[in-house]
Amino acid sequence: MRILIAAAGSRGDVAPYTGLGAELRRAGHDVTLAATDAHAHLVRAAELEFRGLPADTRGRGAGTGRRELMRTAAGFVTELGRGFADAVGDDTDLLLLSATTAPLGWHLTEATGIPSLGVYLQPTAPTGDFPPAVTGTRSLGRLANRAAGRFALRMVDRLYEQAAGELRDRLQLPPLSPSAMRRRQEQADWPVLHGFSTALVPRPADWRPGLKVVGTWWPHHEPAEPLPTELEDFLDAGPRPVLIGFGSMASGEGERLSEIAVRALRRAGLRGILQSGSAGLAADGDDVLTIGDVPHAPLFPRLAAVVHHAGAGTSAAALRAGVPAVTVPVTGDQPFWAGRLAGLGAATGPIPFPSLTAERLADALDRVVNEGAYARAAATASRHMAGEDGAGQALKAIEELAGSR
């Protein structure tokens, strides 16, 4: 099949699809990954065809306030919608849609007749088991959790009103609201594969048919690719270090965060690696090394712990490596994943980003490194994840769906 995967957002919203796409390519399918230009290098490194989407998350200056986040997200979605139809060629046999691109892709499938399937990195369907991933971790009770889940979807639909309306006009489709389109998909049991581990989120029993949790889709990387020499030397030079990084979060906060990180590491008596990321973390010293972009898979198993923002991908990578974590969630679904890690016992209780201090971080690091229960919980989850084959299960489900049409 000629398969187009459409994903948009930050690196963590795109990278997992390089692994999924590579698995589909190995099975003989022709795979294109449509994403914003900032991620073209990730797509091409996985030997997938790249197609550009018109929006970009960089330089938007998103804060952490709910109203500011909604305004930024609406702007991103509207920009995305204006060029979304151009990314889907007439030769596409199957459209795989992320949670961000699905509310646009549904209209394309109506106009073109191309079958589609959801490939989501977060649980979005309402459930009594937990509240919406974007509202945090505190359960409201089963009825209220489901009600909150439905409300969260209505908020998402509002973000897509302008983009969906413009797209339908362009596709010469009659008007249809995003919420009406969503109801149509739900009533048809539109299939969605979820690329996260059941160690973190078991499939809720009250989900509708068609929703599956298949296991994590790991970003593509070449197993033979060595770590940078400077990093190898640092890893070999002493006890296992702690990695501290915030991924694509905390832009412009590098100086403050670097100072907090170094003070916390030295207070806890630990060696550290700072991953620069969007924040621009940096520090010098015999006990601290600064690195750039390095794959998680070969590095994380060699660490004592990971301090991270609790993005879905980093949370899963630390668990896969059997390494405990200290989470500092910033925004979005990060508090949800931070709560899941803490609930497993594989991380300390989350430190909210605005509350991060060197003292709090040092205390959490001391506990997570020296109290063995955290490492044991991470190792248990790692063994569970080793039995999952997210990309393989997705391939099987996609081929079954295609064969049934």
Side-chain angles (χ1 to χ4, degrees):
M1 287 185 292
R2 288 162 299 192
I3 299 174
L4 177 74
I5 306 172
S10 68
R11 182 191 179 102
D13 298 314
V14 174
Y17 298 109
T18 63
L20 174 59
E23 179 76 11
L24 296 170
R25 179 178 53 78
R26 283 191 291 270
H29 301 292
D30 182 358
V31 183
T32 298
L33 177 46
T36 51
D37 289 343
H39 310 303
H41 65 291
L42 299 177
V43 177
R44 294 186 176 121
E47 298 181 29
L48 307 175
E49 182 184 335
F50 173 77
R51 204 166 290 169
L53 291 176
D56 201 339
T57 54
R58 297 172 301 179
R60 287 184 170 269
T64 56
R66 187 65 53 84
R67 185 170 295 177
E68 189 176 355
L69 283 171
M70 290 287 283
R71 189 164 55 244
T72 300
F76 174 78
V77 162
T78 301
E79 188 181 344
L80 179 64
R82 286 177 180 151
F84 192 74
D86 297 330
V88 182
D90 296 334
D91 57 349
T92 301
D93 297 318
L94 180 65
L95 193 54
L96 302 185
L97 300 167
S98 73
T100 304
T101 60
L104 297 170
W106 293 331
H107 305 283
L108 268 179
T109 62
E110 179 186 341
T112 63
I114 299 170
S116 65
L117 177 75
V119 283
Y120 289 8
L121 302 177
Q122 301 88 9
T124 63
T127 174
D129 289 5
F130 47 80
V134 292
T135 63
T137 58
R138 188 175 165 196
S139 179
L140 308 169
R142 295 196 65 83
L143 283 175
N145 283 345
R146 284 191 64 81
R150 289 191 293 270
F151 178 76
L153 291 180
R154 285 199 296 275
M155 292 298 98
V156 171
D157 292 338
R158 282 181 60 185
L159 292 178
Y160 284 83
E161 278 178 3
Q162 181 177 341
E166 290 179 2
L167 182 58
R168 290 187 73 83
D169 281 347
R170 178 176 170 184
L171 297 171
Q172 298 182 317
L173 295 172
L176 186 72
S177 71
S179 56
M181 174 58 89
R182 184 184 297 280
R183 284 194 299 275
R184 182 188 290 180
Q185 300 302 319
E186 290 170 351
Q187 288 162 4
D189 287 333
W190 185 66
V192 180
L193 307 177
H194 294 83
F196 48 75
S197 174
T198 55
L200 278 164
V201 186
R203 184 192 184 280
D206 60 353
W207 268 5
R208 65 168 175 81
L211 305 180
K212 294 183 178 179
V213 179
V214 297
T216 308
W217 301 316
W218 303 107
H220 171 79
H221 90 279
E222 294 297 336
E225 186 181 336
L227 292 171
T229 304
E230 186 182 23
L231 177 54
E232 280 284 1
D233 291 346
F234 186 80
L235 289 166
D236 291 340
R240 288 187 174 212
V242 170
L243 177 81
I244 300 178
F246 294 90
S248 58
M249 295 291 106
S251 179
E253 302 257 9
E255 188 175 342
R256 181 181 74 87
L257 292 173
S258 300
E259 182 185 342
I260 288 173
V262 172
R263 283 175 52 209
L265 288 165
R266 290 175 179 162
R267 186 172 178 137
L270 296 165
R271 301 195 317 140
I273 299 169
L274 304 190
Q275 189 159 29
S276 54
S278 293
L281 299 185
D284 295 316
D286 292 340
D287 58 345
V288 181
L289 176 71
T290 301
I291 62 170
D293 188 19
V294 173
H296 293 154
L299 174 59
F300 279 18
R302 301 174 68 179
L303 302 171
V306 183
V307 178
H308 62 80
H309 60 297
T314 312
S315 298
L319 269 192
R320 180 197 202 185
V323 176
V326 175
T327 58
V328 187
V330 181
T331 190
D333 62 342
Q334 294 160 17
F336 174 82
W337 297 111
R340 289 272 144 177
L341 289 175
L344 287 175
T348 57
I351 304 173
F353 184 73
S355 305
L356 181 65
T357 64
E359 292 72 24
R360 288 191 71 174
L361 182 55
D363 177 63
L365 281 171
D366 181 61
R367 283 185 286 126
V368 84
V369 171
N370 294 314
E371 295 177 17
Y374 293 104
R376 287 192 294 274
T380 298
S382 176
R383 288 191 294 272
H384 177 107
M385 295 171 87
E388 296 177 325
D389 178 13
Q393 287 296 310
L395 169 65
K396 182 179 174 185
I398 286 165
E399 292 184 336
E400 283 176 358
L401 176 78
S404 69
R405 287 181 179 271

